């Protein structure tokens, strides 16, 4: 079945994944060298402040998502005039967001002492770190909007290539400067410059290649009203606030209940999570979102789209089963080899963490579909429920059980979010049964849980050595594959997935020869 512009999607995915692997390796090396020369607590502060800024990022109002939704429609029509207007609206709104973020960030600095349980670092030094990160966030909003244009036109690989080049140069300089000066402020300034330099280069390239985007338009209130943007922003604001509370409070609660060092230890696990989940979920599947926008607003029949959705859903399950079980099998050995035994968290935490990752990855494709629509009012109440649940579970959980309690709250609070997305896409758009879809995934989760238990007991006593890692790898590859194929070998969407992957391989060879 023809699912999307295959060549563009493959090119985006392959280049994105390769670049991400390079950046990921550099990040691991960089963080390991950091703890040799400086106290790991500094990384805890950096993670904590990033959480604070993710909460106040509600000031963004979901403008990026809303503009992207409108751009998908106009790009499908090749309406340059309307695209130019939308990008000018985007620019104006993001300048307002940048100023608002600066004001909110300054206000939040007065409450830092409430978020930090204990510190051996001078408070003036902490404020310097805080404001450097704040200025980087503010400047990012003022410069990042042109990146969205490349993403929705299926050219994300160009952003990734630029980001990789800048990251390699800056992180190599970071290591040298760290060894020579052992100065965290210098290290942080260089770290924060990566996004700014990348966005500046992207902006120059977009202006050069798409000069019509530089045309000046007088933006009036009517331009916002006729595009229904005020209504979308109002509805999405609730999404933003709720998701910021859901995803942006973990480090704050860990800092308050457990201390800043535990935030830093948790940060090591998050780096692995974000690195590999972004590689296999975001980098691999994000190019699909732009293609989905073209399909949904094109002339593909709803029946054909439902077939495509089910095929992608099967692919997401296979991917999630490997990613979730991979974290279960390799996470502790990886942390021990990378940072040392003193940096390990409990096995109980690893189980909760791995289950959370499985659910995030298995329903990432639902998130991609949800993102190409507007109409944020339909699932906003479930976003609110998620934020409330996270607070109600994580606070007592953190107080009683520490990091494990906080992570459990994050896991449970994820389900209202994903239910809202499932209901919107499966029932609202495809007019299919939500109950049948959810029951299917409950059964699949128990299959993955069985895989995880087998993998865990088969690998937990293996040595942390080359031989032990190879044995873990063999068990991890074989167990999920055998069980998953037994479940799906007669499934028509599984067969469609294999057929599509075969065509991808052919297209990849064509793309490579070019």
């Amino acid at each position: 079945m023809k699912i999307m512009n295959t060549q563009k999607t493959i090119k985006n995915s392959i280049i994105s994944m390769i670049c991400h692997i390079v950046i990921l390796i550099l990040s691991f090396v960089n963080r390991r060298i950091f703890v040799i020369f400086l106290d790991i607590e500094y990384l805890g502060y950096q993670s904590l402040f990033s959480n604070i800024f993710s909460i106040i990022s509600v000031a963004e109002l979901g403008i990026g998502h809303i503009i992207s939704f409108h751009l998908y429609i106009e790009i499908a029509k090749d309406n340059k005039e309307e695209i130019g207007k939308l990008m000018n609206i985007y620019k104006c709104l993001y300048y307002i967001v940048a100023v608002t973020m600066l004001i909110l960030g300054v206000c939040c600095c007065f409450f830092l002492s409430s978020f930090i349980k204990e510190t051996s670092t001078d408070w003036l030094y902490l404020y310097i770190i805080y404001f450097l990160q704040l200025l980087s966030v503010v400047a990012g909003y003022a410069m990042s909007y042109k990146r969205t244009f490349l993403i929705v036109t299926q050219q994300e690989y160009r952003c990734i290539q630029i980001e990789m080049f800048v990251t390699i140069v800056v992180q190599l300089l970071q290591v040298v400067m760290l060894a020579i000066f052992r100065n965290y402020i210098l290290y942080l300034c260089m770290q924060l410059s990566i996004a700014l330099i990348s966005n500046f280069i992207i902006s120059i390239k977009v202006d050069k290649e798409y000069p019509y985007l530089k045309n000046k338009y007088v933006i009036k209130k009517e331009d916002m009203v006729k595009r229904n943007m005020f209504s979308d922003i109002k509805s999405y604001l609730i999404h933003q606030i709720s998701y910021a509370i859901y995803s942006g409070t973990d480090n704050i609660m860990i800092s308050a209940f457990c201390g800043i060092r535990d935030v830093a230890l948790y940060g090591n696990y998050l780096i692995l999570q974000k690195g590999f989940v972004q590689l296999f979920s975001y980098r691999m599947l994000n190019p699909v979102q732009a293609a989905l926008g073209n399909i949904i607003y094109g002339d593909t029949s709803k029946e054909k789209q439902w077939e495509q959705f089910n095929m992608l859903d099967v692919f997401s399950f296979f991917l999630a089963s490997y990613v979730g079980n991979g974290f279960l099998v390799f996470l502790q050995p990886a942390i021990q080899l990378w940072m040392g035994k003193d940096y390990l968290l409990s096995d109980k935490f690893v189980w909760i963490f791995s289950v959370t990752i499985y659910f995030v990855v298995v329903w990432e494709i639902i998130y991609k579909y949800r993102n190409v629509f507007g109409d944020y009012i339909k699932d906003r109440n479930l976003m609110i429920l998620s934020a409330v649940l996270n607070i109600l579970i994580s606070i007592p959980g953190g107080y009683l059980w520490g990091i494990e309690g906080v992570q459990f709250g994050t896991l449970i609070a994820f389900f209202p979010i994903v239910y809202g997305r499932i209901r919107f896409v499966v029932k609202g758009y495809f007019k299919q049964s939500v109950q049948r879809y959810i029951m299917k995934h409950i059964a699949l989760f128990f299959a993955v849980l069985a895989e995880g238990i087998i993998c865990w007991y088969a690998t937990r006593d293996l040595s942390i050595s080359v031989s032990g890692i190879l044995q873990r790898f063999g068990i991890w590859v074989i167990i999920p594959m055998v069980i998953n194929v037994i479940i799906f070998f007669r499934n028509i969407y599984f067969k469609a997935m294999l057929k599509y992957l075969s065509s991808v391989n052919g297209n990849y060879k064509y793309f490579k020869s070019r």
Side-chain angles (χ1 to χ4, degrees):
M1 62 179 68
K2 184 178 179 182
I3 183 169
M4 57 195 74
N5 188 326
T6 306
Q7 279 183 250
K8 280 189 177 182
T9 305
I10 295 168
K11 189 174 184 178
N12 274 292
S13 295
I14 292 173
I15 293 177
S16 182
M17 290 177 69
I18 292 171
C19 292
H20 187 75
I21 290 170
V22 174
I23 293 173
L24 190 60
I25 292 171
L26 283 172
S27 299
F28 291 156
V29 173
N30 194 298
R31 194 172 179 96
R32 184 67 187 98
I33 293 173
F34 183 97
V35 299
I36 294 173
F37 293 110
L38 292 173
D39 193 324
I40 195 174
E41 281 193 6
Y42 289 123
L43 296 177
Y45 296 126
Q46 191 173 333
S47 297
L48 173 62
F49 297 156
S50 296
N51 256 196
I52 293 172
F53 298 138
S54 72
I55 292 175
I56 64 175
S57 68
V58 296
E60 195 265 349
L61 303 174
I63 291 167
H65 286 287
I66 293 165
I67 294 292
S68 296
F69 156 66
H70 288 281
L71 281 173
Y72 284 131
I73 298 172
E74 301 308 328
I75 286 170
K77 300 176 183 177
D78 195 28
N79 188 343
K80 290 184 173 62
E81 179 76 10
E82 187 65 14
I83 292 169
K85 286 183 179 180
L86 285 168
M87 291 301 291
N88 270 263
I89 292 173
Y90 199 0
K91 177 182 177 180
C92 292
L93 291 175
Y94 256 29
Y95 281 157
I96 295 171
V97 167
V99 174
T100 306
M101 284 287 292
L102 180 61
I103 294 170
L104 290 174
V106 171
C107 293
C108 283
C109 80
F110 297 107
F111 301 96
L112 289 184
S113 59
S114 301
F115 302 139
I116 298 175
K117 182 179 180 181
E118 54 188 25
T119 179
S120 57
T121 306
D122 183 76
W123 274 98
L124 177 60
Y125 203 71
L126 290 182
Y127 282 120
I128 292 172
I129 296 170
Y130 178 86
F131 279 106
L132 282 173
Q133 287 187 241
L134 174 61
L135 291 174
S136 173
V137 171
V138 170
Y141 277 112
M143 297 175 63
S144 65
Y145 67 98
K146 288 181 183 175
R147 179 187 291 258
T148 300
F149 178 78
L150 292 182
I151 292 173
V152 298
T153 53
Q154 291 189 263
Q155 300 180 74
E156 187 180 14
Y157 67 92
R158 300 179 64 189
C159 301
I160 302 300
Q161 286 175 314
I162 291 168
E163 191 172 319
M164 184 187 73
F165 175 77
V166 173
T167 301
I168 290 172
V169 172
V170 172
Q171 290 205 349
L172 289 175
L173 287 173
Q174 269 186 307
V175 170
V176 175
M177 294 297 103
L178 196 59
I180 295 173
F181 298 106
R182 304 192 181 191
N183 185 294
Y184 178 66
I185 297 298
L186 178 61
Y187 173 92
L188 181 62
C189 288
M190 297 181 73
Q191 182 71 31
L192 299 177
S193 71
I194 293 174
L196 301 181
I197 296 171
S198 301
N199 286 333
F200 179 72
I201 295 172
I202 290 168
S203 180
I204 291 174
K205 287 187 174 293
V206 171
D207 284 344
K208 183 179 179 180
E209 295 177 25
Y210 302 94
Y212 70 90
L213 295 179
K214 296 190 291 183
N215 294 341
K216 303 296 181 183
Y217 297 91
V218 177
I219 305 302
K220 301 178 181 178
K221 181 180 179 181
E222 290 74 21
D223 293 310
M224 303 281 287
V225 171
K226 77 175 185 178
R227 294 172 177 84
N228 205 33
M229 285 189 181
F230 288 119
S231 176
D232 282 341
I233 287 173
K234 180 181 177 182
S235 297
Y236 198 80
L237 177 59
I238 296 175
H239 277 249
Q240 285 283 89
I241 293 172
S242 300
Y243 193 75
I245 294 171
Y246 166 75
S247 65
T249 55
D250 284 0
N251 280 326
I252 295 172
M253 285 187 278
I254 292 169
S255 176
F257 292 123
C258 309
I260 200 68
R261 180 175 173 81
D262 282 346
V263 175
L265 298 184
Y266 184 57
N268 293 333
Y269 287 79
L270 285 181
I271 279 187
L272 287 169
Q273 178 217 22
K274 290 178 180 178
F276 286 99
V277 169
Q278 284 187 2
L279 172 64
F280 292 112
S281 186
Y282 179 80
R283 297 303 184 193
M284 182 185 289
L285 295 178
N286 204 52
V288 174
Q289 183 175 309
L292 290 176
N294 295 330
I295 290 170
I296 287 170
Y297 296 109
D299 56 3
T300 305
S301 69
K302 192 70 69 71
E303 291 77 14
K304 184 65 67 176
Q305 289 183 45
W306 177 243
E307 292 176 13
Q308 294 165 355
F309 170 82
N310 277 287
M311 186 193 73
L312 289 169
D313 194 54
V314 172
F315 176 79
S316 294
F317 168 72
F318 271 76
L319 181 64
S321 66
Y322 271 103
V323 173
N325 282 309
F327 274 89
L328 192 63
V329 169
F330 294 108
L331 192 52
Q332 295 290 60
I335 294 291
Q336 186 171 332
L337 287 170
W338 175 34
M339 304 297 286
K341 281 187 176 181
D342 294 338
Y343 295 87
L344 293 175
L345 293 173
S346 71
D347 289 343
K348 185 187 298 182
F349 166 81
V350 170
W351 268 96
I352 302 171
F353 196 65
S354 300
V355 170
T356 306
I357 290 168
Y358 165 79
F359 283 119
V360 169
V361 175
V362 80
W363 281 316
E364 179 69 14
I365 198 64
I366 283 280
Y367 179 58
K368 300 305 182 192
Y369 271 89
R370 176 66 184 92
N371 270 354
V372 301
F373 298 100
D375 207 4
Y376 296 105
I377 194 171
K378 289 189 175 179
D379 52 349
R380 68 181 184 183
N381 289 339
L382 288 162
M383 294 295 296
I384 296 171
L385 175 60
S386 172
V388 172
L389 267 180
N390 195 34
I391 297 297
L392 290 178
I393 298 173
S394 293
I395 288 180
Y399 179 77
L400 295 171
W401 300 294
I403 292 178
E404 292 89 347
V406 174
Q407 185 62 42
F408 182 72
T410 301
L411 169 61
I412 298 302
F414 179 68
F415 293 121
I417 294 176
V418 79
Y419 176 74
R421 294 169 181 172
I422 291 170
R423 190 178 63 180
F424 186 101
V425 174
V426 174
K427 182 179 180 180
Y429 182 69
F430 286 116
K431 311 301 180 186
Q432 301 291 329
S433 170
V434 172
Q435 289 76 17
R436 187 178 299 117
Y437 178 83
I438 291 176
M439 291 304 296
K440 177 186 75 174
H441 273 279
I442 290 173
L444 290 176
F445 169 68
F446 281 110
V448 171
L449 188 62
E451 295 168 5
I453 292 170
I454 295 170
C455 288
W456 176 264
Y457 282 102
T459 62
R460 65 175 182 170
D461 295 325
L462 294 176
S463 61
I464 310 298
S465 62
V466 174
S467 173
I469 295 298
L470 289 175
Q471 290 178 66
R472 284 181 174 86
F473 183 80
I475 292 167
W476 170 69
V477 169
I478 293 170
I479 298 301
M481 180 59 68
V482 169
I483 294 177
N484 292 349
V485 171
I486 289 173
I487 294 171
F488 278 102
F489 78 99
R490 290 184 177 177
N491 185 284
I492 59 170
Y493 302 118
F494 173 65
K495 294 176 182 177
M497 180 190 76
L498 294 178
K499 184 178 179 181
Y500 178 68
L501 291 176
S502 176
S503 72
V504 165
N505 182 54
N507 276 280
Y508 169 67
K509 290 177 180 177
Y510 171 79
F511 157 65
K512 191 175 179 181
S513 69
R514 301 274 290 184

